[in-house]
Amino acid sequence: MDRPFGLLAELTYRCPLACAYCSNPLELAGYDDELSTADWQRVFAEAAEMGVLQCHLSGGEPLLRRDLVDLVRTAAGLGMYTNLVTSAIGFSRPRAEALKQAGLDHVQVSVQADEPVTSDRIAGIPSFERKLQAAALVKDLGWPLTVNVVLHRQNIDRIAEIVALVEELDADRVELANTQYYGWAWRNRAALLPSREQLARAEEVVRDARARLGDRMEILHVLPDYYSEYPKPCMGGWASRQITVTPNGDALPCLAAHPLPLPPASVRTDSLQTIWDDSPMFRAFRGFGWMRDPCRTCERRELDFGGCRCQAFQLTGDATRTDPVCHLSPDHALVTDAVDRANAGSRPLDELLVPRPHRG
């Protein structure tokens, strides 16, 4: 593809939750100068002109932006499918009705577990009941509902109960996505990475649920990269399908690309079109010319594109290296060592998590 079809608009990194698996940057001070309403409206117009079809409004917590209704109205008016990705804190009926009237197409609500004690502990604040109320409101107002559950060592054993909860909420889609180890999740990796036994039980639950539910609910189950033989085709290839814009206006090919040592691209100084076509951030890992062996000569290079550049940098300090998840990577031991520790018999399942600081 020579044009993106999705825009992830990270409107703010402020968030009432303190999730220990948050993938937002560790250092957030540089993102306090948020784009204005007019800035975001210009970005949306430029995205639509490029052919972007989907606008995902995320954060942090996008409901903390007072101009959210205006931003939804702009994106919807440009013909983009709009999706609100929210913790549901602050999703009151008046706000929801205003978003519905503005043209919001879809709502995705995050849930941390199937019962309040575990959910509130993982989220860092009492929030479980409010999430259930928000999910009910989404259905009451006629939106499609996606429930997102980030899976990890401390909730994956409850996956059957989580699926039952999502059924009760009458969700149209559930994302059971194992933690990606960036940001705060990287700091908590030892306490979050599940064991092989946990993953095997979870896969069995998902298979049974898919057979039982059929077309009633779409179930997306994302396995942990660390247990894969080959890496996932991250983002379908670097800078090929989606643009992420952060609260301060930085443009990225991937939501985890903040720390990569590449010249920043910003919508404050350049158009989305210019950034997509010409910026080093977006051109760095397109195609295959940047690849080293074993990726350069691998028959899978057009399937997984060498894996995740952000993960390669996170684990090795060099974004051009083969993703260490791949069993052919010379750095694969960095992953297998972490997996071996996660499967040590003495490892507790409720290890202490370091919560992400609140930024409300």
Side-chain angles (χ1 to χ4, degrees), residues 156-184:
I156 195 169
D157 289 333
R158 302 279 302 178
I159 191 168
E161 291 81 2
I162 289 170
V163 170
L165 172 66
V166 176
E167 283 186 72
E168 186 179 329
L169 295 176
D170 194 24
D172 301 274
R173 184 172 188 266
V174 59
E175 296 180 356
L176 302 168
N178 273 270
T179 305
Q180 299 293 311
Y181 295 103
Y182 308 109
W184 217 256

PDB file of all heavy atoms in Angstrom, residues 156-184:
ATOM      1  N   ILE A 156      -4.885 -13.978  33.235  1.00  0.00           N
ATOM      2  CA  ILE A 156      -5.157 -14.924  32.152  1.00  0.00           C
ATOM      3  C   ILE A 156      -5.811 -16.210  32.653  1.00  0.00           C
ATOM      4  O   ILE A 156      -6.549 -16.865  31.905  1.00  0.00           O
ATOM      5  CB  ILE A 156      -3.851 -15.218  31.367  1.00  0.00           C
ATOM      6  CG1 ILE A 156      -4.189 -15.887  30.032  1.00  0.00           C
ATOM      7  CG2 ILE A 156      -2.879 -16.066  32.201  1.00  0.00           C
ATOM      8  CD1 ILE A 156      -3.014 -15.967  29.083  1.00  0.00           C
ATOM      9  N   ASP A 157      -5.606 -16.568  33.899  1.00  0.00           N
ATOM     10  CA  ASP A 157      -6.257 -17.770  34.431  1.00  0.00           C
ATOM     11  C   ASP A 157      -7.763 -17.581  34.606  1.00  0.00           C
ATOM     12  O   ASP A 157      -8.488 -18.549  34.843  1.00  0.00           O
ATOM     13  CB  ASP A 157      -5.626 -18.167  35.775  1.00  0.00           C
ATOM     14  CG  ASP A 157      -4.224 -18.720  35.606  1.00  0.00           C
ATOM     15  OD1 ASP A 157      -3.914 -19.263  34.532  1.00  0.00           O
ATOM     16  OD2 ASP A 157      -3.417 -18.593  36.551  1.00  0.00           O
ATOM     17  N   ARG A 158      -8.235 -16.351  34.476  1.00  0.00           N
ATOM     18  CA  ARG A 158      -9.662 -16.054  34.579  1.00  0.00           C
ATOM     19  C   ARG A 158     -10.288 -15.819  33.198  1.00  0.00           C
ATOM     20  O   ARG A 158     -11.356 -15.229  33.094  1.00  0.00           O
ATOM     21  CB  ARG A 158      -9.860 -14.812  35.447  1.00  0.00           C
ATOM     22  CG  ARG A 158      -9.303 -14.900  36.849  1.00  0.00           C
ATOM     23  CD  ARG A 158     -10.209 -15.642  37.781  1.00  0.00           C
ATOM     24  NE  ARG A 158     -11.532 -15.042  37.879  1.00  0.00           N
ATOM     25  CZ  ARG A 158     -12.524 -15.538  38.609  1.00  0.00           C
ATOM     26  NH1 ARG A 158     -12.330 -16.641  39.300  1.00  0.00           N
ATOM     27  NH2 ARG A 158     -13.697 -14.947  38.647  1.00  0.00           N
ATOM     28  N   ILE A 159      -9.643 -16.316  32.138  1.00  0.00           N
ATOM     29  CA  ILE A 159     -10.114 -15.982  30.798  1.00  0.00           C
ATOM     30  C   ILE A 159     -11.511 -16.523  30.522  1.00  0.00           C
ATOM     31  O   ILE A 159     -12.312 -15.880  29.840  1.00  0.00           O
ATOM     32  CB  ILE A 159      -9.098 -16.454  29.734  1.00  0.00           C
ATOM     33  CG1 ILE A 159      -9.456 -15.870  28.360  1.00  0.00           C
ATOM     34  CG2 ILE A 159      -8.979 -17.969  29.696  1.00  0.00           C
ATOM     35  CD1 ILE A 159      -8.370 -16.053  27.329  1.00  0.00           C
ATOM     36  N   ALA A 160     -11.869 -17.695  31.076  1.00  0.00           N
ATOM     37  CA  ALA A 160     -13.223 -18.222  30.876  1.00  0.00           C
ATOM     38  C   ALA A 160     -14.253 -17.290  31.509  1.00  0.00           C
ATOM     39  O   ALA A 160     -15.306 -17.010  30.914  1.00  0.00           O
ATOM     40  CB  ALA A 160     -13.337 -19.622  31.470  1.00  0.00           C
ATOM     41  N   GLU A 161     -13.951 -16.808  32.700  1.00  0.00           N
ATOM     42  CA  GLU A 161     -14.862 -15.870  33.378  1.00  0.00           C
ATOM     43  C   GLU A 161     -14.908 -14.525  32.651  1.00  0.00           C
ATOM     44  O   GLU A 161     -15.958 -13.875  32.599  1.00  0.00           O
ATOM     45  CB  GLU A 161     -14.418 -15.676  34.824  1.00  0.00           C
ATOM     46  CG  GLU A 161     -14.600 -16.910  35.712  1.00  0.00           C
ATOM     47  CD  GLU A 161     -13.482 -17.933  35.574  1.00  0.00           C
ATOM     48  OE1 GLU A 161     -12.525 -17.677  34.803  1.00  0.00           O
ATOM     49  OE2 GLU A 161     -13.560 -18.987  36.233  1.00  0.00           O
ATOM     50  N   ILE A 162     -13.778 -14.119  32.073  1.00  0.00           N
ATOM     51  CA  ILE A 162     -13.745 -12.871  31.304  1.00  0.00           C
ATOM     52  C   ILE A 162     -14.638 -12.992  30.068  1.00  0.00           C
ATOM     53  O   ILE A 162     -15.420 -12.083  29.760  1.00  0.00           O
ATOM     54  CB  ILE A 162     -12.296 -12.526  30.916  1.00  0.00           C
ATOM     55  CG1 ILE A 162     -11.514 -12.078  32.153  1.00  0.00           C
ATOM     56  CG2 ILE A 162     -12.262 -11.442  29.844  1.00  0.00           C
ATOM     57  CD1 ILE A 162     -10.011 -11.949  31.940  1.00  0.00           C
ATOM     58  N   VAL A 163     -14.542 -14.115  29.362  1.00  0.00           N
ATOM     59  CA  VAL A 163     -15.394 -14.333  28.193  1.00  0.00           C
ATOM     60  C   VAL A 163     -16.866 -14.349  28.611  1.00  0.00           C
ATOM     61  O   VAL A 163     -17.730 -13.771  27.922  1.00  0.00           O
ATOM     62  CB  VAL A 163     -15.007 -15.642  27.476  1.00  0.00           C
ATOM     63  CG1 VAL A 163     -16.046 -15.992  26.399  1.00  0.00           C
ATOM     64  CG2 VAL A 163     -13.627 -15.512  26.843  1.00  0.00           C
ATOM     65  N   ALA A 164     -17.170 -14.952  29.735  1.00  0.00           N
ATOM     66  CA  ALA A 164     -18.553 -14.979  30.222  1.00  0.00           C
ATOM     67  C   ALA A 164     -19.054 -13.563  30.509  1.00  0.00           C
ATOM     68  O   ALA A 164     -20.208 -13.224  30.198  1.00  0.00           O
ATOM     69  CB  ALA A 164     -18.653 -15.847  31.472  1.00  0.00           C
ATOM     70  N   LEU A 165     -18.198 -12.730  31.098  1.00  0.00           N
ATOM     71  CA  LEU A 165     -18.577 -11.343  31.359  1.00  0.00           C
ATOM     72  C   LEU A 165     -18.860 -10.604  30.055  1.00  0.00           C
ATOM     73  O   LEU A 165     -19.857  -9.875  29.946  1.00  0.00           O
ATOM     74  CB  LEU A 165     -17.461 -10.638  32.132  1.00  0.00           C
ATOM     75  CG  LEU A 165     -17.645  -9.121  32.303  1.00  0.00           C
ATOM     76  CD1 LEU A 165     -18.850  -8.812  33.196  1.00  0.00           C
ATOM     77  CD2 LEU A 165     -16.379  -8.479  32.885  1.00  0.00           C
ATOM     78  N   VAL A 166     -17.989 -10.782  29.079  1.00  0.00           N
ATOM     79  CA  VAL A 166     -18.166 -10.096  27.801  1.00  0.00           C
ATOM     80  C   VAL A 166     -19.455 -10.543  27.113  1.00  0.00           C
ATOM     81  O   VAL A 166     -20.160  -9.728  26.495  1.00  0.00           O
ATOM     82  CB  VAL A 166     -16.934 -10.337  26.904  1.00  0.00           C
ATOM     83  CG1 VAL A 166     -17.142  -9.721  25.532  1.00  0.00           C
ATOM     84  CG2 VAL A 166     -15.682  -9.751  27.548  1.00  0.00           C
ATOM     85  N   GLU A 167     -19.776 -11.829  27.234  1.00  0.00           N
ATOM     86  CA  GLU A 167     -21.061 -12.318  26.717  1.00  0.00           C
ATOM     87  C   GLU A 167     -22.220 -11.609  27.403  1.00  0.00           C
ATOM     88  O   GLU A 167     -23.198 -11.199  26.764  1.00  0.00           O
ATOM     89  CB  GLU A 167     -21.188 -13.817  26.956  1.00  0.00           C
ATOM     90  CG  GLU A 167     -20.410 -14.704  26.022  1.00  0.00           C
ATOM     91  CD  GLU A 167     -20.742 -16.152  26.285  1.00  0.00           C
ATOM     92  OE1 GLU A 167     -21.863 -16.590  25.940  1.00  0.00           O
ATOM     93  OE2 GLU A 167     -19.875 -16.856  26.858  1.00  0.00           O
ATOM     94  N   GLU A 168     -22.112 -11.491  28.724  1.00  0.00           N
ATOM     95  CA  GLU A 168     -23.171 -10.837  29.495  1.00  0.00           C
ATOM     96  C   GLU A 168     -23.340  -9.382  29.071  1.00  0.00           C
ATOM     97  O   GLU A 168     -24.457  -8.845  29.087  1.00  0.00           O
ATOM     98  CB  GLU A 168     -22.828 -10.927  30.986  1.00  0.00           C
ATOM     99  CG  GLU A 168     -23.906 -10.422  31.913  1.00  0.00           C
ATOM    100  CD  GLU A 168     -23.514 -10.570  33.377  1.00  0.00           C
ATOM    101  OE1 GLU A 168     -22.769 -11.517  33.703  1.00  0.00           O
ATOM    102  OE2 GLU A 168     -23.961  -9.733  34.188  1.00  0.00           O
ATOM    103  N   LEU A 169     -22.233  -8.748  28.689  1.00  0.00           N
ATOM    104  CA  LEU A 169     -22.289  -7.357  28.234  1.00  0.00           C
ATOM    105  C   LEU A 169     -22.836  -7.236  26.816  1.00  0.00           C
ATOM    106  O   LEU A 169     -23.040  -6.131  26.331  1.00  0.00           O
ATOM    107  CB  LEU A 169     -20.887  -6.732  28.299  1.00  0.00           C
ATOM    108  CG  LEU A 169     -20.278  -6.598  29.693  1.00  0.00           C
ATOM    109  CD1 LEU A 169     -18.852  -6.068  29.592  1.00  0.00           C
ATOM    110  CD2 LEU A 169     -21.121  -5.688  30.590  1.00  0.00           C
ATOM    111  N   ASP A 170     -23.044  -8.371  26.147  1.00  0.00           N
ATOM    112  CA  ASP A 170     -23.573  -8.407  24.780  1.00  0.00           C
ATOM    113  C   ASP A 170     -22.630  -7.680  23.810  1.00  0.00           C
ATOM    114  O   ASP A 170     -23.078  -6.986  22.894  1.00  0.00           O
ATOM    115  CB  ASP A 170     -24.971  -7.789  24.726  1.00  0.00           C
ATOM    116  CG  ASP A 170     -25.696  -8.112  23.424  1.00  0.00           C
ATOM    117  OD1 ASP A 170     -25.356  -9.130  22.786  1.00  0.00           O
ATOM    118  OD2 ASP A 170     -26.570  -7.317  23.021  1.00  0.00           O
ATOM    119  N   ALA A 171     -21.321  -7.873  24.018  1.00  0.00           N
ATOM    120  CA  ALA A 171     -20.341  -7.246  23.139  1.00  0.00           C
ATOM    121  C   ALA A 171     -20.406  -7.867  21.745  1.00  0.00           C
ATOM    122  O   ALA A 171     -20.689  -9.053  21.585  1.00  0.00           O
ATOM    123  CB  ALA A 171     -18.942  -7.391  23.713  1.00  0.00           C
ATOM    124  N   ASP A 172     -20.112  -7.048  20.739  1.00  0.00           N
ATOM    125  CA  ASP A 172     -20.052  -7.544  19.369  1.00  0.00           C
ATOM    126  C   ASP A 172     -18.682  -8.146  19.062  1.00  0.00           C
ATOM    127  O   ASP A 172     -18.558  -8.990  18.175  1.00  0.00           O
ATOM    128  CB  ASP A 172     -20.328  -6.395  18.389  1.00  0.00           C
ATOM    129  CG  ASP A 172     -21.679  -5.775  18.630  1.00  0.00           C
ATOM    130  OD1 ASP A 172     -22.671  -6.299  18.079  1.00  0.00           O
ATOM    131  OD2 ASP A 172     -21.769  -4.784  19.386  1.00  0.00           O
ATOM    132  N   ARG A 173     -17.691  -7.699  19.822  1.00  0.00           N
ATOM    133  CA  ARG A 173     -16.312  -8.134  19.554  1.00  0.00           C
ATOM    134  C   ARG A 173     -15.523  -8.056  20.854  1.00  0.00           C
ATOM    135  O   ARG A 173     -15.738  -7.152  21.662  1.00  0.00           O
ATOM    136  CB  ARG A 173     -15.693  -7.218  18.500  1.00  0.00           C
ATOM    137  CG  ARG A 173     -14.301  -7.568  18.014  1.00  0.00           C
ATOM    138  CD  ARG A 173     -13.965  -6.659  16.831  1.00  0.00           C
ATOM    139  NE  ARG A 173     -12.728  -7.032  16.188  1.00  0.00           N
ATOM    140  CZ  ARG A 173     -11.536  -6.494  16.473  1.00  0.00           C
ATOM    141  NH1 ARG A 173     -11.452  -5.546  17.388  1.00  0.00           N
ATOM    142  NH2 ARG A 173     -10.454  -6.875  15.837  1.00  0.00           N
ATOM    143  N   VAL A 174     -14.627  -9.009  21.062  1.00  0.00           N
ATOM    144  CA  VAL A 174     -13.738  -8.934  22.212  1.00  0.00           C
ATOM    145  C   VAL A 174     -12.308  -9.129  21.721  1.00  0.00           C
ATOM    146  O   VAL A 174     -12.034 -10.006  20.892  1.00  0.00           O
ATOM    147  CB  VAL A 174     -14.097  -9.973  23.298  1.00  0.00           C
ATOM    148  CG1 VAL A 174     -14.037 -11.399  22.758  1.00  0.00           C
ATOM    149  CG2 VAL A 174     -13.192  -9.822  24.513  1.00  0.00           C
ATOM    150  N   GLU A 175     -11.420  -8.304  22.204  1.00  0.00           N
ATOM    151  CA  GLU A 175      -9.993  -8.430  21.916  1.00  0.00           C
ATOM    152  C   GLU A 175      -9.304  -8.966  23.166  1.00  0.00           C
ATOM    153  O   GLU A 175      -9.210  -8.263  24.175  1.00  0.00           O
ATOM    154  CB  GLU A 175      -9.396  -7.077  21.526  1.00  0.00           C
ATOM    155  CG  GLU A 175      -9.966  -6.501  20.239  1.00  0.00           C
ATOM    156  CD  GLU A 175      -9.357  -5.160  19.887  1.00  0.00           C
ATOM    157  OE1 GLU A 175      -8.540  -4.629  20.691  1.00  0.00           O
ATOM    158  OE2 GLU A 175      -9.694  -4.626  18.813  1.00  0.00           O
ATOM    159  N   LEU A 176      -8.868 -10.205  23.098  1.00  0.00           N
ATOM    160  CA  LEU A 176      -8.113 -10.828  24.176  1.00  0.00           C
ATOM    161  C   LEU A 176      -6.649 -10.765  23.766  1.00  0.00           C
ATOM    162  O   LEU A 176      -6.119 -11.690  23.138  1.00  0.00           O
ATOM    163  CB  LEU A 176      -8.584 -12.270  24.383  1.00  0.00           C
ATOM    164  CG  LEU A 176     -10.080 -12.439  24.702  1.00  0.00           C
ATOM    165  CD1 LEU A 176     -10.483 -13.898  24.595  1.00  0.00           C
ATOM    166  CD2 LEU A 176     -10.409 -11.882  26.084  1.00  0.00           C
ATOM    167  N   ALA A 177      -6.010  -9.670  24.087  1.00  0.00           N
ATOM    168  CA  ALA A 177      -4.682  -9.378  23.551  1.00  0.00           C
ATOM    169  C   ALA A 177      -3.638  -9.466  24.650  1.00  0.00           C
ATOM    170  O   ALA A 177      -3.675  -8.696  25.619  1.00  0.00           O
ATOM    171  CB  ALA A 177      -4.666  -7.988  22.919  1.00  0.00           C
ATOM    172  N   ASN A 178      -2.703 -10.404  24.505  1.00  0.00           N
ATOM    173  CA  ASN A 178      -1.628 -10.491  25.475  1.00  0.00           C
ATOM    174  C   ASN A 178      -0.760  -9.234  25.439  1.00  0.00           C
ATOM    175  O   ASN A 178      -0.600  -8.588  24.402  1.00  0.00           O
ATOM    176  CB  ASN A 178      -0.767 -11.729  25.207  1.00  0.00           C
ATOM    177  CG  ASN A 178      -1.322 -12.952  25.889  1.00  0.00           C
ATOM    178  OD1 ASN A 178      -0.993 -13.261  27.028  1.00  0.00           O
ATOM    179  ND2 ASN A 178      -2.202 -13.675  25.178  1.00  0.00           N
ATOM    180  N   THR A 179      -0.224  -8.906  26.581  1.00  0.00           N
ATOM    181  CA  THR A 179       0.555  -7.683  26.765  1.00  0.00           C
ATOM    182  C   THR A 179       1.702  -7.570  25.760  1.00  0.00           C
ATOM    183  O   THR A 179       2.399  -8.551  25.484  1.00  0.00           O
ATOM    184  CB  THR A 179       1.141  -7.643  28.188  1.00  0.00           C
ATOM    185  OG1 THR A 179       0.070  -7.797  29.124  1.00  0.00           O
ATOM    186  CG2 THR A 179       1.865  -6.340  28.455  1.00  0.00           C
ATOM    187  N   GLN A 180       1.871  -6.367  25.225  1.00  0.00           N
ATOM    188  CA  GLN A 180       3.058  -6.035  24.439  1.00  0.00           C
ATOM    189  C   GLN A 180       4.002  -5.271  25.365  1.00  0.00           C
ATOM    190  O   GLN A 180       3.584  -4.330  26.051  1.00  0.00           O
ATOM    191  CB  GLN A 180       2.694  -5.176  23.235  1.00  0.00           C
ATOM    192  CG  GLN A 180       1.738  -5.860  22.270  1.00  0.00           C
ATOM    193  CD  GLN A 180       2.370  -7.046  21.572  1.00  0.00           C
ATOM    194  OE1 GLN A 180       3.472  -6.975  21.033  1.00  0.00           O
ATOM    195  NE2 GLN A 180       1.667  -8.167  21.577  1.00  0.00           N
ATOM    196  N   TYR A 181       5.278  -5.650  25.369  1.00  0.00           N
ATOM    197  CA  TYR A 181       6.182  -5.158  26.416  1.00  0.00           C
ATOM    198  C   TYR A 181       6.937  -3.902  26.001  1.00  0.00           C
ATOM    199  O   TYR A 181       8.123  -3.918  25.666  1.00  0.00           O
ATOM    200  CB  TYR A 181       7.108  -6.291  26.867  1.00  0.00           C
ATOM    201  CG  TYR A 181       6.291  -7.379  27.515  1.00  0.00           C
ATOM    202  CD1 TYR A 181       5.987  -8.553  26.839  1.00  0.00           C
ATOM    203  CD2 TYR A 181       5.727  -7.197  28.781  1.00  0.00           C
ATOM    204  CE1 TYR A 181       5.188  -9.521  27.416  1.00  0.00           C
ATOM    205  CE2 TYR A 181       4.922  -8.155  29.356  1.00  0.00           C
ATOM    206  CZ  TYR A 181       4.659  -9.314  28.673  1.00  0.00           C
ATOM    207  OH  TYR A 181       3.858 -10.256  29.239  1.00  0.00           O
ATOM    208  N   TYR A 182       6.187  -2.793  26.037  1.00  0.00           N
ATOM    209  CA  TYR A 182       6.727  -1.459  25.812  1.00  0.00           C
ATOM    210  C   TYR A 182       6.281  -0.578  26.971  1.00  0.00           C
ATOM    211  O   TYR A 182       5.370  -0.923  27.724  1.00  0.00           O
ATOM    212  CB  TYR A 182       6.212  -0.874  24.498  1.00  0.00           C
ATOM    213  CG  TYR A 182       6.396  -1.771  23.296  1.00  0.00           C
ATOM    214  CD1 TYR A 182       5.321  -2.395  22.686  1.00  0.00           C
ATOM    215  CD2 TYR A 182       7.665  -1.988  22.778  1.00  0.00           C
ATOM    216  CE1 TYR A 182       5.485  -3.225  21.594  1.00  0.00           C
ATOM    217  CE2 TYR A 182       7.852  -2.821  21.677  1.00  0.00           C
ATOM    218  CZ  TYR A 182       6.767  -3.433  21.096  1.00  0.00           C
ATOM    219  OH  TYR A 182       6.937  -4.250  20.021  1.00  0.00           O
ATOM    220  N   GLY A 183       6.877   0.596  27.087  1.00  0.00           N
ATOM    221  CA  GLY A 183       6.440   1.535  28.102  1.00  0.00           C
ATOM    222  C   GLY A 183       6.449   0.939  29.490  1.00  0.00           C
ATOM    223  O   GLY A 183       7.407   0.291  29.913  1.00  0.00           O
ATOM    224  N   TRP A 184       5.350   1.165  30.214  1.00  0.00           N
ATOM    225  CA  TRP A 184       5.277   0.684  31.594  1.00  0.00           C
ATOM    226  C   TRP A 184       5.230  -0.838  31.656  1.00  0.00           C
ATOM    227  O   TRP A 184       5.676  -1.460  32.619  1.00  0.00           O
ATOM    228  CB  TRP A 184       4.058   1.295  32.289  1.00  0.00           C
ATOM    229  CG  TRP A 184       4.350   1.604  33.721  1.00  0.00           C
ATOM    230  CD1 TRP A 184       3.946   0.900  34.816  1.00  0.00           C
ATOM    231  CD2 TRP A 184       5.146   2.671  34.226  1.00  0.00           C
ATOM    232  NE1 TRP A 184       4.444   1.474  35.962  1.00  0.00           N
ATOM    233  CE2 TRP A 184       5.167   2.570  35.635  1.00  0.00           C
ATOM    234  CE3 TRP A 184       5.831   3.728  33.623  1.00  0.00           C
ATOM    235  CZ2 TRP A 184       5.864   3.464  36.443  1.00  0.00           C
ATOM    236  CZ3 TRP A 184       6.507   4.624  34.418  1.00  0.00           C
ATOM    237  CH2 TRP A 184       6.521   4.484  35.815  1.00  0.00           C
TER     238      TRP A 184
END
